[in-house]
Amino acid sequence: MKIRKLRGVIDRMVSGVAAIVPDDRTPEVYVAASDIPGAREGLAVDLVIVPQDDPNAVCPVVGRKPPRPPRPQKIKSFTSLVRQMIKTRDRLKATLAELEQQPGQDGQELQEKIDFLEKGIDLFSR
């Protein structure tokens, strides 16, 4: 029994059969969709299969490697974020001061944004 490692992407699914395009650009391989949990078009797969002599035959899956969950992005410091939030808050305060000088202008929405930025600055600068 020969086995083959298959890494690729599911190209299409027809009648419970998934057509997988391998990463190494070899001809596509057909696998039963029930052997791949959560099978859908565009899903990246990493399988171990038993290749068949007929290129159009459905290959049995011997093993599979579950996909890794994405790693969270690490941020060393928030100084650049806080600095940008302070600049934005100051600009909004200047715009609000100009609006208050003009009669009939309401700066309620700008004040809400300023309050939100002040909360964020306080949260990230601790």
Side-chain angles (χ1 to χ4, degrees):
M1 176 168 90
K2 297 190 306 185
I3 60 172
R4 174 182 166 204
K5 186 170 181 159
L6 175 65
R7 293 183 75 179
V9 177
I10 297 177
D11 182 45
R12 64 186 179 283
M13 293 181 49
V14 179
S15 303
V17 177
I20 301 174
V21 177
D23 290 343
D24 59 359
R25 303 291 183 217
T26 56
E28 62 185 19
V29 177
Y30 302 103
V31 175
S34 60
D35 290 343
I36 306 169
R40 66 184 186 290
E41 291 181 6
L43 178 70
V45 293
D46 190 359
L47 306 171
V48 177
I49 62 167
V50 178
Q52 301 294 317
D53 294 333
D54 181 14
N56 294 328
V58 176
C59 299
V61 176
V62 178
R64 63 180 173 81
K65 185 175 180 182
R68 281 185 160 181
R71 292 184 180 176
Q73 188 176 17
K74 293 183 180 180
I75 300 175
K76 292 185 179 179
S77 72
F78 292 105
T79 55
S80 61
L81 173 66
V82 172
R83 189 173 29 237
Q84 188 62 37
M85 290 170 72
I86 290 171
K87 287 180 184 179
T88 305
R89 180 198 61 192
D90 293 342
R91 287 184 193 135
L92 289 175
K93 282 184 177 180
T95 305
L96 183 63
E98 288 178 11
L99 282 177
E100 288 175 351
Q101 292 175 357
Q102 298 175 2
Q105 296 292 330
D106 185 25
Q108 182 66 26
E109 185 178 330
L110 285 176
Q111 187 60 47
E112 289 176 7
K113 290 179 181 181
I114 291 169
D115 294 340
F116 184 76
L117 283 170
E118 286 177 350
K119 288 178 187 176
I121 291 167
D122 182 50
L123 178 68
F124 286 105
S125 62
R126 290 184 190 177

